Amino acid sequence: MNKPVVVSEETLTEPVIVDDASSALKASVAGPAYIVLAGISFSHFLNDTMQSLIASVYPILKDNYALDFAQIGLITLAFQFTASLLQPVVGHFTDKKAQPFSLAIGMSSTFFGLLLLSVAHQYLVILIAAALIGLGSAVFHPESARIARMASGGRYGFAQSVFQLGGSFGTSMGPVLAALIVVPFGQPSIAWFSSIAFLAIVVLWKIGQWYKPQIRAKKTAVIERHPDAPNSRGVAFAISVLVVLLLSKQLYVSSLSSYYIFYLIDRFGVSTQAAQLYLFVFLAANAVGAFFGGPLGDRFGRKIVIWISIVGALPFTLALPYAGLTASAVLTVFIGLIISSTTSSIIVFAQELVPHRFGMISGVFFGVAFGVGGLGAAALGKLADHTSIAFVYQICSFLPAIGLLAVFLPRMSQPQR
């Protein structure tokens, strides 16, 4: 039967708990805290808008400093590898002692990173600026995911999707803002976006004021395992499968985010601004798909959503390298809608498998997404230098086939609310 797992210092860590069982039940009955969800999603929007500027200004940096594709990939690596390394560390630390104002403090790293990127004239300085923005991401994601779950009212997939929606739309705005502002006004205009970071700091400080009273640190908690959760060995295997699924999804998305602009310019001869707008179409579809994945997982089960969303994108990814310009735009819409719907379900699935390590699991999965994107971008850039961008997209088109591994995930029923 469903037995509670008592987590304490003697077992794993000292967890952070929001309230006692009765209060948690009241929160579930009351429903989601929509104002808090809106605030954390808006903060995610601001955070990822600033982060997406890095990839969006690649053509400018490439032309200004005569960079090759491998060097472009290393910029992505500097940003995403920093976030990848630190997110599990931040999550592990906040599992033991939550830091309600760490989000606002971490955003200051993004603030200074943007200012540095706007004045960077050496490749090493560009890498440092990208790493600072990655540091802000590392601090932001684990705790903000915890806050989204706190405010979910028991609708965990919905809350994670609202949180992901902000980030996905923020990512989609980067190319548009780059086309409208950075391309006409040049690299120094990146400094203007530090005002967005300042706004995010203000919003996150207010969220921290809501978050602080919810915390009871350094106390043991009784955490209910999911009634259908497998044993410890099965959990480890399932987590491994989820990581691989996220790898395949994120590596494909990273290939589009980092090099789709160059692909369109190289194959169809479009302008840089036009290519950035085509990238926006894909990223906007990615944002819409990210929102619907969580509620569908709440209703029909996370495994089936994961299965359909990754494998369902395969026919479209296989067709993309052979499509014309208009057809490519249409295909990227379908790819974005389908493949992005899996993110929320993967993360919530993992959280349900290991509920006593919520922050660390969130950090690991967000970190894996960033880290694999960075490593993949660097490797794909090197491959593109030796072959072509078109060849890279032919190889990447098979990545969603890895989604077939979803068949090995345990079937876990949705909890009754």
Side-chain angles (χ1 to χ4, degrees), residues 206-271:
K206 298 296 291 184
I207 290 175
Q209 291 177 328
W210 172 87
Y211 183 24
K212 187 176 181 180
Q214 316 297 322
I215 299 167
R216 290 182 180 178
K218 293 187 177 297
K219 292 184 179 180
T220 60
V222 176
I223 301 176
E224 295 286 338
R225 291 185 67 222
H226 193 287
D228 300 324
N231 57 28
S232 58
R233 181 175 297 181
V235 166
F237 178 76
I239 290 292
S240 300
V241 171
L242 289 171
V243 168
V244 172
L245 294 177
L246 189 60
L247 296 184
S248 66
K249 178 260 182 187
Q250 189 61 29
L251 184 54
Y252 185 82
V253 172
S254 179
S255 73
L256 280 178
S257 300
S258 295
Y259 299 110
Y260 189 51
I261 290 175
F262 298 111
Y263 172 76
L264 294 174
I265 294 173
D266 178 69
R267 182 170 181 188
F268 302 110
V270 302
S271 67

Short mmCIF file of all heavy atoms in Angstrom, two decimals, residues 206-271:
data_model
loop_
_atom_site.label_atom_id
_atom_site.label_comp_id
_atom_site.label_asym_id
_atom_site.label_seq_id
_atom_site.Cartn_x
_atom_site.Cartn_y
_atom_site.Cartn_z
N LYS A 206 9.63 40.49 -4.64
CA LYS A 206 8.26 40.41 -4.12
C LYS A 206 7.83 38.96 -3.95
O LYS A 206 7.17 38.61 -2.96
CB LYS A 206 7.30 41.14 -5.06
CG LYS A 206 7.56 42.63 -5.22
CD LYS A 206 7.38 43.39 -3.93
CE LYS A 206 5.92 43.43 -3.52
NZ LYS A 206 5.71 44.25 -2.30
N ILE A 207 8.18 38.10 -4.90
CA ILE A 207 7.86 36.67 -4.76
C ILE A 207 8.59 36.08 -3.56
O ILE A 207 8.04 35.25 -2.83
CB ILE A 207 8.22 35.92 -6.06
CG1 ILE A 207 7.25 36.33 -7.17
CG2 ILE A 207 8.18 34.41 -5.85
CD1 ILE A 207 7.58 35.74 -8.52
N GLY A 208 9.82 36.51 -3.34
CA GLY A 208 10.57 36.05 -2.17
C GLY A 208 9.87 36.42 -0.87
O GLY A 208 9.90 35.65 0.10
N GLN A 209 9.20 37.58 -0.83
CA GLN A 209 8.46 37.97 0.37
C GLN A 209 7.26 37.05 0.60
O GLN A 209 6.89 36.79 1.75
CB GLN A 209 8.00 39.43 0.23
CG GLN A 209 9.16 40.43 0.29
CD GLN A 209 8.70 41.86 0.06
OE1 GLN A 209 7.74 42.12 -0.67
NE2 GLN A 209 9.38 42.81 0.69
N TRP A 210 6.63 36.57 -0.49
CA TRP A 210 5.54 35.59 -0.35
C TRP A 210 6.10 34.24 0.08
O TRP A 210 5.51 33.52 0.89
CB TRP A 210 4.81 35.45 -1.68
CG TRP A 210 3.79 34.33 -1.68
CD1 TRP A 210 2.49 34.39 -1.27
CD2 TRP A 210 4.01 32.97 -2.09
NE1 TRP A 210 1.88 33.16 -1.41
CE2 TRP A 210 2.79 32.27 -1.91
CE3 TRP A 210 5.11 32.27 -2.58
CZ2 TRP A 210 2.65 30.92 -2.21
CZ3 TRP A 210 4.97 30.92 -2.90
CH2 TRP A 210 3.75 30.25 -2.70
N TYR A 211 7.24 33.88 -0.47
CA TYR A 211 7.83 32.56 -0.27
C TYR A 211 8.35 32.38 1.16
O TYR A 211 8.19 31.30 1.75
CB TYR A 211 8.96 32.42 -1.29
CG TYR A 211 9.68 31.10 -1.32
CD1 TYR A 211 9.10 29.91 -0.88
CD2 TYR A 211 10.97 31.03 -1.85
CE1 TYR A 211 9.78 28.71 -0.95
CE2 TYR A 211 11.66 29.83 -1.92
CZ TYR A 211 11.06 28.67 -1.46
OH TYR A 211 11.74 27.49 -1.53
N LYS A 212 8.92 33.41 1.73
CA LYS A 212 9.59 33.29 3.03
C LYS A 212 8.69 32.73 4.13
O LYS A 212 9.09 31.83 4.87
CB LYS A 212 10.17 34.64 3.44
CG LYS A 212 11.02 34.58 4.70
CD LYS A 212 11.64 35.94 5.00
CE LYS A 212 12.50 35.86 6.25
NZ LYS A 212 13.12 37.19 6.55
N PRO A 213 7.45 33.21 4.30
CA PRO A 213 6.61 32.66 5.38
C PRO A 213 6.20 31.20 5.16
O PRO A 213 5.75 30.54 6.10
CB PRO A 213 5.37 33.56 5.38
CG PRO A 213 5.78 34.78 4.66
CD PRO A 213 6.78 34.34 3.65
N GLN A 214 6.32 30.71 3.90
CA GLN A 214 5.89 29.35 3.62
C GLN A 214 6.91 28.30 4.09
O GLN A 214 6.62 27.11 4.12
CB GLN A 214 5.69 29.17 2.10
CG GLN A 214 4.96 30.30 1.39
CD GLN A 214 3.55 30.48 1.88
OE1 GLN A 214 2.87 29.50 2.16
NE2 GLN A 214 3.10 31.72 1.99
N ILE A 215 8.10 28.76 4.42
CA ILE A 215 9.21 27.83 4.63
C ILE A 215 9.33 27.43 6.10
O ILE A 215 9.26 28.26 7.00
CB ILE A 215 10.54 28.48 4.17
CG1 ILE A 215 10.47 28.80 2.69
CG2 ILE A 215 11.72 27.57 4.45
CD1 ILE A 215 11.58 29.70 2.24
N ARG A 216 9.53 26.16 6.33
CA ARG A 216 9.94 25.65 7.64
C ARG A 216 11.19 24.82 7.41
O ARG A 216 11.12 23.68 6.96
CB ARG A 216 8.86 24.78 8.27
CG ARG A 216 7.63 25.56 8.72
CD ARG A 216 6.65 24.61 9.38
NE ARG A 216 5.47 25.30 9.83
CZ ARG A 216 4.44 24.69 10.39
NH1 ARG A 216 4.46 23.37 10.55
NH2 ARG A 216 3.39 25.37 10.79
N ALA A 217 12.32 25.43 7.67
CA ALA A 217 13.58 24.75 7.38
C ALA A 217 14.03 23.91 8.56
O ALA A 217 13.62 24.10 9.70
CB ALA A 217 14.65 25.79 7.03
N LYS A 218 14.93 22.95 8.26
CA LYS A 218 15.57 22.11 9.26
C LYS A 218 14.58 21.32 10.11
O LYS A 218 14.73 21.20 11.33
CB LYS A 218 16.50 22.94 10.16
CG LYS A 218 17.71 23.49 9.43
CD LYS A 218 18.64 24.15 10.40
CE LYS A 218 19.88 24.64 9.68
NZ LYS A 218 20.66 23.58 9.08
N LYS A 219 13.56 20.79 9.48
CA LYS A 219 12.63 19.89 10.17
C LYS A 219 12.40 18.69 9.28
O LYS A 219 12.40 18.80 8.06
CB LYS A 219 11.28 20.59 10.45
CG LYS A 219 11.38 21.71 11.48
CD LYS A 219 10.00 22.27 11.77
CE LYS A 219 10.08 23.37 12.82
NZ LYS A 219 8.74 23.94 13.12
N THR A 220 12.19 17.54 9.90
CA THR A 220 11.87 16.35 9.11
C THR A 220 10.46 16.46 8.58
O THR A 220 9.62 17.16 9.12
CB THR A 220 11.98 15.08 9.97
OG1 THR A 220 11.07 15.18 11.06
CG2 THR A 220 13.41 14.91 10.49
N ALA A 221 10.22 15.75 7.51
CA ALA A 221 8.90 15.79 6.88
C ALA A 221 8.48 14.39 6.48
O ALA A 221 9.29 13.55 6.16
CB ALA A 221 8.92 16.68 5.64
N VAL A 222 7.19 14.13 6.53
CA VAL A 222 6.64 12.88 6.05
C VAL A 222 6.19 13.10 4.61
O VAL A 222 5.30 13.89 4.35
CB VAL A 222 5.46 12.41 6.91
CG1 VAL A 222 4.85 11.15 6.33
CG2 VAL A 222 5.92 12.18 8.34
N ILE A 223 6.84 12.42 3.69
CA ILE A 223 6.59 12.61 2.27
C ILE A 223 5.97 11.34 1.70
O ILE A 223 6.51 10.25 1.85
CB ILE A 223 7.90 12.94 1.53
CG1 ILE A 223 8.52 14.21 2.12
CG2 ILE A 223 7.64 13.10 0.04
CD1 ILE A 223 9.85 14.55 1.52
N GLU A 224 4.84 11.49 1.07
CA GLU A 224 4.13 10.35 0.51
C GLU A 224 4.74 9.95 -0.83
O GLU A 224 4.84 10.77 -1.74
CB GLU A 224 2.65 10.71 0.30
CG GLU A 224 1.90 11.00 1.59
CD GLU A 224 1.60 9.74 2.37
OE1 GLU A 224 1.58 8.66 1.76
OE2 GLU A 224 1.39 9.83 3.59
N ARG A 225 5.13 8.69 -0.94
CA ARG A 225 5.55 8.17 -2.24
C ARG A 225 4.31 7.97 -3.11
O ARG A 225 3.22 7.73 -2.63
CB ARG A 225 6.26 6.82 -2.09
CG ARG A 225 7.61 6.90 -1.44
CD ARG A 225 8.27 5.53 -1.45
NE ARG A 225 8.60 5.09 -2.80
CZ ARG A 225 8.40 3.86 -3.24
NH1 ARG A 225 7.84 2.94 -2.48
NH2 ARG A 225 8.76 3.54 -4.47
N HIS A 226 4.51 8.08 -4.41
CA HIS A 226 3.41 7.78 -5.33
C HIS A 226 3.05 6.30 -5.16
O HIS A 226 3.93 5.45 -5.06
CB HIS A 226 3.86 8.05 -6.77
CG HIS A 226 2.73 8.07 -7.74
ND1 HIS A 226 2.08 6.92 -8.15
CD2 HIS A 226 2.12 9.10 -8.39
CE1 HIS A 226 1.13 7.23 -9.01
NE2 HIS A 226 1.14 8.55 -9.19
N PRO A 227 1.76 5.98 -5.08
CA PRO A 227 1.37 4.58 -4.83
C PRO A 227 1.86 3.59 -5.89
O PRO A 227 2.02 2.42 -5.60
CB PRO A 227 -0.17 4.65 -4.82
CG PRO A 227 -0.52 5.92 -5.51
CD PRO A 227 0.59 6.86 -5.20
N ASP A 228 2.11 4.07 -7.11
CA ASP A 228 2.57 3.18 -8.18
C ASP A 228 4.07 3.29 -8.44
O ASP A 228 4.57 2.74 -9.42
CB ASP A 228 1.82 3.51 -9.49
CG ASP A 228 0.32 3.32 -9.35
OD1 ASP A 228 -0.08 2.38 -8.63
OD2 ASP A 228 -0.44 4.09 -9.94
N ALA A 229 4.78 4.00 -7.56
CA ALA A 229 6.21 4.19 -7.77
C ALA A 229 6.94 2.85 -7.65
O ALA A 229 6.63 2.04 -6.77
CB ALA A 229 6.77 5.19 -6.77
N PRO A 230 7.94 2.59 -8.50
CA PRO A 230 8.70 1.34 -8.41
C PRO A 230 9.66 1.37 -7.23
O PRO A 230 9.76 2.37 -6.51
CB PRO A 230 9.44 1.30 -9.75
CG PRO A 230 9.59 2.74 -10.14
CD PRO A 230 8.35 3.43 -9.63
N ASN A 231 10.38 0.27 -7.03
CA ASN A 231 11.38 0.23 -5.97
C ASN A 231 12.57 1.12 -6.35
O ASN A 231 12.59 1.73 -7.42
CB ASN A 231 11.82 -1.21 -5.70
CG ASN A 231 12.38 -1.90 -6.94
OD1 ASN A 231 12.91 -1.25 -7.85
ND2 ASN A 231 12.24 -3.21 -7.00
N SER A 232 13.56 1.19 -5.46
CA SER A 232 14.67 2.12 -5.66
C SER A 232 15.42 1.85 -6.96
O SER A 232 15.81 2.78 -7.67
CB SER A 232 15.63 2.04 -4.47
OG SER A 232 16.12 0.72 -4.31
N ARG A 233 15.60 0.57 -7.31
CA ARG A 233 16.28 0.25 -8.56
C ARG A 233 15.44 0.68 -9.75
O ARG A 233 15.96 1.21 -10.75
CB ARG A 233 16.58 -1.25 -8.63
CG ARG A 233 17.32 -1.66 -9.90
CD ARG A 233 17.70 -3.14 -9.87
NE ARG A 233 18.63 -3.43 -8.78
CZ ARG A 233 19.12 -4.64 -8.53
NH1 ARG A 233 18.75 -5.67 -9.30
NH2 ARG A 233 19.96 -4.83 -7.54
N GLY A 234 14.13 0.45 -9.66
CA GLY A 234 13.24 0.87 -10.73
C GLY A 234 13.19 2.38 -10.88
O GLY A 234 13.11 2.91 -11.99
N VAL A 235 13.25 3.09 -9.74
CA VAL A 235 13.28 4.55 -9.78
C VAL A 235 14.53 5.04 -10.50
O VAL A 235 14.49 5.93 -11.35
CB VAL A 235 13.20 5.15 -8.36
CG1 VAL A 235 13.56 6.63 -8.37
CG2 VAL A 235 11.80 4.96 -7.79
N ALA A 236 15.68 4.46 -10.16
CA ALA A 236 16.94 4.86 -10.80
C ALA A 236 16.88 4.63 -12.31
O ALA A 236 17.34 5.46 -13.09
CB ALA A 236 18.10 4.09 -10.18
N PHE A 237 16.31 3.49 -12.71
CA PHE A 237 16.21 3.19 -14.13
C PHE A 237 15.27 4.18 -14.83
O PHE A 237 15.57 4.69 -15.92
CB PHE A 237 15.72 1.77 -14.34
CG PHE A 237 15.54 1.38 -15.78
CD1 PHE A 237 16.65 1.10 -16.57
CD2 PHE A 237 14.28 1.31 -16.35
CE1 PHE A 237 16.50 0.75 -17.90
CE2 PHE A 237 14.12 0.96 -17.68
CZ PHE A 237 15.23 0.68 -18.47
N ALA A 238 14.13 4.46 -14.18
CA ALA A 238 13.17 5.39 -14.78
C ALA A 238 13.75 6.79 -14.91
O ALA A 238 13.54 7.48 -15.91
CB ALA A 238 11.89 5.42 -13.93
N ILE A 239 14.48 7.23 -13.88
CA ILE A 239 15.13 8.54 -13.94
C ILE A 239 16.12 8.58 -15.09
O ILE A 239 16.22 9.58 -15.84
CB ILE A 239 15.84 8.87 -12.61
CG1 ILE A 239 14.81 9.13 -11.50
CG2 ILE A 239 16.75 10.09 -12.78
CD1 ILE A 239 13.99 10.38 -11.68
N SER A 240 16.87 7.50 -15.29
CA SER A 240 17.83 7.44 -16.39
C SER A 240 17.14 7.55 -17.74
O SER A 240 17.61 8.25 -18.65
CB SER A 240 18.63 6.13 -16.33
OG SER A 240 19.35 6.02 -15.12
N VAL A 241 16.00 6.87 -17.88
CA VAL A 241 15.24 6.94 -19.13
C VAL A 241 14.74 8.37 -19.36
O VAL A 241 14.84 8.91 -20.48
CB VAL A 241 14.06 5.96 -19.12
CG1 VAL A 241 13.14 6.19 -20.32
CG2 VAL A 241 14.57 4.52 -19.13
N LEU A 242 14.24 9.00 -18.32
CA LEU A 242 13.74 10.37 -18.45
C LEU A 242 14.87 11.33 -18.85
O LEU A 242 14.66 12.25 -19.66
CB LEU A 242 13.11 10.83 -17.14
CG LEU A 242 11.77 10.18 -16.77
CD1 LEU A 242 11.37 10.54 -15.35
CD2 LEU A 242 10.67 10.58 -17.75
N VAL A 243 16.05 11.12 -18.28
CA VAL A 243 17.20 11.96 -18.65
C VAL A 243 17.53 11.80 -20.13
O VAL A 243 17.74 12.79 -20.84
CB VAL A 243 18.42 11.62 -17.77
CG1 VAL A 243 19.68 12.27 -18.34
CG2 VAL A 243 18.21 12.08 -16.34
N VAL A 244 17.55 10.56 -20.61
CA VAL A 244 17.86 10.32 -22.02
C VAL A 244 16.80 10.94 -22.92
O VAL A 244 17.12 11.54 -23.97
CB VAL A 244 17.99 8.80 -22.29
CG1 VAL A 244 18.12 8.54 -23.78
CG2 VAL A 244 19.19 8.23 -21.56
N LEU A 245 15.55 10.84 -22.52
CA LEU A 245 14.48 11.45 -23.32
C LEU A 245 14.64 12.97 -23.38
O LEU A 245 14.45 13.58 -24.44
CB LEU A 245 13.11 11.10 -22.73
CG LEU A 245 12.71 9.62 -22.78
CD1 LEU A 245 11.36 9.41 -22.10
CD2 LEU A 245 12.66 9.13 -24.22
N LEU A 246 14.99 13.56 -22.25
CA LEU A 246 15.20 15.00 -22.24
C LEU A 246 16.41 15.38 -23.08
O LEU A 246 16.42 16.43 -23.74
CB LEU A 246 15.37 15.50 -20.80
CG LEU A 246 15.39 17.02 -20.62
CD1 LEU A 246 14.09 17.64 -21.12
CD2 LEU A 246 15.62 17.39 -19.16
N LEU A 247 17.44 14.52 -23.07
CA LEU A 247 18.62 14.76 -23.89
C LEU A 247 18.25 14.85 -25.37
O LEU A 247 18.67 15.77 -26.08
CB LEU A 247 19.65 13.64 -23.70
CG LEU A 247 20.28 13.46 -22.33
CD1 LEU A 247 21.33 12.37 -22.37
CD2 LEU A 247 20.92 14.73 -21.85
N SER A 248 17.49 13.88 -25.83
CA SER A 248 17.14 13.85 -27.25
C SER A 248 16.31 15.07 -27.63
O SER A 248 16.53 15.69 -28.68
CB SER A 248 16.38 12.57 -27.58
OG SER A 248 15.12 12.52 -26.94
N LYS A 249 15.37 15.40 -26.78
CA LYS A 249 14.51 16.55 -27.06
C LYS A 249 15.30 17.85 -27.05
O LYS A 249 15.23 18.67 -27.96
CB LYS A 249 13.37 16.59 -26.04
CG LYS A 249 12.42 17.78 -26.19
CD LYS A 249 12.73 18.89 -25.21
CE LYS A 249 11.75 20.05 -25.35
NZ LYS A 249 12.14 21.20 -24.51
N GLN A 250 16.12 18.05 -26.02
CA GLN A 250 16.82 19.30 -25.88
C GLN A 250 17.92 19.48 -26.92
O GLN A 250 18.17 20.59 -27.38
CB GLN A 250 17.43 19.41 -24.47
CG GLN A 250 18.00 20.78 -24.14
CD GLN A 250 16.96 21.87 -24.20
OE1 GLN A 250 15.77 21.62 -23.95
NE2 GLN A 250 17.39 23.08 -24.53
N LEU A 251 18.57 18.38 -27.29
CA LEU A 251 19.62 18.49 -28.30
C LEU A 251 19.02 18.91 -29.64
O LEU A 251 19.61 19.73 -30.36
CB LEU A 251 20.35 17.15 -28.45
CG LEU A 251 21.55 17.15 -29.41
CD1 LEU A 251 22.54 18.24 -29.04
CD2 LEU A 251 22.23 15.78 -29.40
N TYR A 252 17.85 18.39 -29.97
CA TYR A 252 17.22 18.80 -31.22
C TYR A 252 16.81 20.27 -31.16
O TYR A 252 17.05 21.04 -32.10
CB TYR A 252 16.00 17.94 -31.55
CG TYR A 252 15.42 18.29 -32.89
CD1 TYR A 252 15.97 17.76 -34.05
CD2 TYR A 252 14.36 19.18 -33.01
CE1 TYR A 252 15.48 18.11 -35.30
CE2 TYR A 252 13.86 19.54 -34.25
CZ TYR A 252 14.42 19.00 -35.39
OH TYR A 252 13.93 19.36 -36.62
N VAL A 253 16.18 20.67 -30.05
CA VAL A 253 15.77 22.07 -29.91
C VAL A 253 16.99 22.99 -29.94
O VAL A 253 16.96 24.08 -30.53
CB VAL A 253 14.97 22.26 -28.61
CG1 VAL A 253 14.70 23.74 -28.34
CG2 VAL A 253 13.64 21.50 -28.70
N SER A 254 18.09 22.56 -29.31
CA SER A 254 19.31 23.36 -29.31
C SER A 254 19.87 23.53 -30.71
O SER A 254 20.38 24.59 -31.08
CB SER A 254 20.36 22.72 -28.40
OG SER A 254 21.56 23.46 -28.41
N SER A 255 19.77 22.46 -31.53
CA SER A 255 20.27 22.56 -32.90
C SER A 255 19.50 23.61 -33.70
O SER A 255 20.08 24.36 -34.48
CB SER A 255 20.18 21.20 -33.60
OG SER A 255 18.84 20.85 -33.91
N LEU A 256 18.18 23.69 -33.47
CA LEU A 256 17.39 24.70 -34.15
C LEU A 256 17.66 26.10 -33.58
O LEU A 256 17.83 27.06 -34.32
CB LEU A 256 15.90 24.38 -34.03
CG LEU A 256 15.34 23.32 -34.98
CD1 LEU A 256 13.87 23.09 -34.72
CD2 LEU A 256 15.55 23.72 -36.43
N SER A 257 17.73 26.20 -32.25
CA SER A 257 17.90 27.50 -31.63
C SER A 257 19.24 28.14 -32.00
O SER A 257 19.34 29.35 -32.20
CB SER A 257 17.79 27.37 -30.10
OG SER A 257 16.54 26.86 -29.73
N SER A 258 20.31 27.32 -32.06
CA SER A 258 21.65 27.86 -32.28
C SER A 258 21.99 28.07 -33.75
O SER A 258 22.71 29.01 -34.08
CB SER A 258 22.68 26.93 -31.64
OG SER A 258 22.55 26.89 -30.25
N TYR A 259 21.48 27.22 -34.63
CA TYR A 259 21.97 27.24 -36.01
C TYR A 259 20.88 27.38 -37.07
O TYR A 259 21.20 27.42 -38.27
CB TYR A 259 22.77 25.95 -36.29
CG TYR A 259 23.97 25.82 -35.39
CD1 TYR A 259 24.00 24.84 -34.40
CD2 TYR A 259 25.05 26.68 -35.50
CE1 TYR A 259 25.09 24.72 -33.55
CE2 TYR A 259 26.14 26.57 -34.67
CZ TYR A 259 26.16 25.58 -33.69
OH TYR A 259 27.24 25.48 -32.85
N TYR A 260 19.63 27.48 -36.67
CA TYR A 260 18.55 27.59 -37.66
C TYR A 260 18.69 28.87 -38.48
O TYR A 260 18.42 28.88 -39.69
CB TYR A 260 17.20 27.54 -36.95
CG TYR A 260 16.01 27.43 -37.88
CD1 TYR A 260 15.95 26.45 -38.86
CD2 TYR A 260 14.93 28.30 -37.76
CE1 TYR A 260 14.85 26.35 -39.70
CE2 TYR A 260 13.82 28.20 -38.59
CZ TYR A 260 13.78 27.23 -39.56
OH TYR A 260 12.69 27.12 -40.39
N ILE A 261 19.13 29.95 -37.83
CA ILE A 261 19.34 31.20 -38.55
C ILE A 261 20.36 31.01 -39.67
O ILE A 261 20.14 31.41 -40.82
CB ILE A 261 19.80 32.31 -37.58
CG1 ILE A 261 18.64 32.72 -36.66
CG2 ILE A 261 20.30 33.54 -38.35
CD1 ILE A 261 19.04 33.71 -35.59
N PHE A 262 21.48 30.37 -39.33
CA PHE A 262 22.53 30.14 -40.34
C PHE A 262 22.04 29.19 -41.44
O PHE A 262 22.41 29.34 -42.60
CB PHE A 262 23.78 29.59 -39.66
CG PHE A 262 24.38 30.51 -38.65
CD1 PHE A 262 24.36 30.21 -37.30
CD2 PHE A 262 24.97 31.70 -39.05
CE1 PHE A 262 24.90 31.06 -36.37
CE2 PHE A 262 25.54 32.57 -38.12
CZ PHE A 262 25.50 32.24 -36.77
N TYR A 263 21.24 28.20 -41.05
CA TYR A 263 20.69 27.25 -42.03
C TYR A 263 19.83 27.97 -43.06
O TYR A 263 19.95 27.73 -44.27
CB TYR A 263 19.89 26.19 -41.28
CG TYR A 263 19.12 25.24 -42.17
CD1 TYR A 263 19.77 24.22 -42.86
CD2 TYR A 263 17.74 25.35 -42.31
CE1 TYR A 263 19.05 23.34 -43.67
CE2 TYR A 263 17.02 24.49 -43.11
CZ TYR A 263 17.68 23.48 -43.79
OH TYR A 263 16.97 22.62 -44.59
N LEU A 264 18.96 28.86 -42.58
CA LEU A 264 18.08 29.58 -43.49
C LEU A 264 18.87 30.53 -44.39
O LEU A 264 18.58 30.66 -45.59
CB LEU A 264 17.03 30.36 -42.70
CG LEU A 264 16.01 29.52 -41.92
CD1 LEU A 264 15.13 30.42 -41.07
CD2 LEU A 264 15.17 28.66 -42.84
N ILE A 265 19.85 31.20 -43.81
CA ILE A 265 20.68 32.12 -44.61
C ILE A 265 21.48 31.34 -45.66
O ILE A 265 21.56 31.76 -46.83
CB ILE A 265 21.63 32.91 -43.68
CG1 ILE A 265 20.82 33.85 -42.78
CG2 ILE A 265 22.65 33.71 -44.50
CD1 ILE A 265 21.66 34.54 -41.71
N ASP A 266 22.05 30.22 -45.25
CA ASP A 266 22.90 29.44 -46.16
C ASP A 266 22.09 28.77 -47.27
O ASP A 266 22.50 28.78 -48.44
CB ASP A 266 23.67 28.39 -45.35
CG ASP A 266 24.54 27.51 -46.22
OD1 ASP A 266 25.54 28.02 -46.76
OD2 ASP A 266 24.24 26.30 -46.36
N ARG A 267 20.94 28.21 -46.93
CA ARG A 267 20.20 27.42 -47.91
C ARG A 267 19.26 28.27 -48.76
O ARG A 267 19.13 28.04 -49.97
CB ARG A 267 19.40 26.32 -47.22
CG ARG A 267 18.65 25.45 -48.22
CD ARG A 267 18.05 24.22 -47.61
NE ARG A 267 17.36 23.43 -48.63
CZ ARG A 267 16.62 22.37 -48.36
NH1 ARG A 267 16.48 21.95 -47.12
NH2 ARG A 267 16.02 21.71 -49.34
N PHE A 268 18.61 29.26 -48.13
CA PHE A 268 17.59 30.02 -48.86
C PHE A 268 17.98 31.47 -49.14
O PHE A 268 17.24 32.19 -49.80
CB PHE A 268 16.26 29.99 -48.08
CG PHE A 268 15.75 28.59 -47.83
CD1 PHE A 268 15.74 28.06 -46.55
CD2 PHE A 268 15.29 27.81 -48.88
CE1 PHE A 268 15.28 26.77 -46.31
CE2 PHE A 268 14.81 26.52 -48.65
CZ PHE A 268 14.81 26.00 -47.37
N GLY A 269 19.13 31.90 -48.60
CA GLY A 269 19.61 33.25 -48.88
C GLY A 269 18.78 34.35 -48.26
O GLY A 269 18.77 35.49 -48.77
N VAL A 270 18.06 34.09 -47.17
CA VAL A 270 17.25 35.12 -46.52
C VAL A 270 18.16 36.05 -45.72
O VAL A 270 19.31 35.73 -45.42
CB VAL A 270 16.18 34.49 -45.60
CG1 VAL A 270 15.28 33.57 -46.39
CG2 VAL A 270 16.84 33.73 -44.45
N SER A 271 17.65 37.22 -45.37
CA SER A 271 18.42 38.17 -44.57
C SER A 271 18.49 37.71 -43.12
O SER A 271 17.71 36.85 -42.68
CB SER A 271 17.78 39.55 -44.63
OG SER A 271 16.52 39.54 -43.98
#
